[in-house]
Amino acid sequence: MADRLLFVCRANMCRSPMAEYLARRLFADWPVTVASAGTDAVDGALMHPYASRVVALTGADPRAFRTRRLGPDDLTGAALVLTATRRQRSRCAALAPSALHHTFTLRQFARLAAAAEPPVSAADGPLRAA
């Protein structure tokens, strides 16, 4: 079973979709699925044109992307949730308190990952090991 990585921002139009597309490329050879959502997103909107251009520069096609509003199942179904800000992390904790132990801001996760020892085993999946 693949681990699920979820990126969260406010509108799911810029930061989290760009992170989603970049992470998909980075994890292409790993058993990881990547998604994004927004705490205040309107379902079905297009990606912001500037973000779309950035994604296109990576070789991906962003035309099919549509925004998604964050729900509790998104959070509980993810092995790792990375948010753009502390406010969004708080919103995630309010929506699904059980997801708090695997929900971090990007900055917070970067600091923790830099200080952590490499996992001994990734048998449960690379994100869970992290």
Side-chain angles (χ1 to χ4, degrees):
M1 183 170 140
D3 279 341
R4 184 160 190 234
L5 171 58
L6 177 67
F7 291 98
V8 177
C9 71
R10 188 187 68 76
N12 192 218
M13 293 180 88
C14 294
R15 294 172 292 181
S16 61
M18 287 190 299
E20 174 186 346
Y21 277 82
L22 291 171
R24 276 190 188 157
R25 190 169 182 163
L26 288 170
F27 289 112
D29 297 330
W30 291 80
V32 174
T33 60
V34 183
S36 66
T39 57
D40 299 307
V42 174
D43 285 328
L46 296 174
M47 189 183 302
H48 190 281
Y50 295 146
S52 185
R53 274 191 233 133
V54 170
V55 167
L57 289 173
T58 71
D61 183 359
R63 291 178 293 181
F65 180 84
R66 296 296 179 269
T67 58
R68 284 187 329 110
R69 187 174 186 91
L70 180 69
D73 291 344
D74 296 318
L75 297 163
T76 57
L80 179 61
V81 179
L82 298 175
T83 68
T85 67
R86 292 182 300 196
R87 182 172 187 265
Q88 283 128 21
R89 183 173 185 262
S90 294
R91 296 280 302 271
C92 290
L95 269 175
S98 65
L100 184 61
H101 69 281
H102 62 260
T103 303
F104 306 91
T105 66
L106 283 165
R107 288 179 136 197
Q108 183 183 35
F109 186 75
R111 283 192 307 270
L112 292 170
E117 293 291 323
V120 176
S121 169
D124 290 335
L127 294 182
R128 294 185 194 284

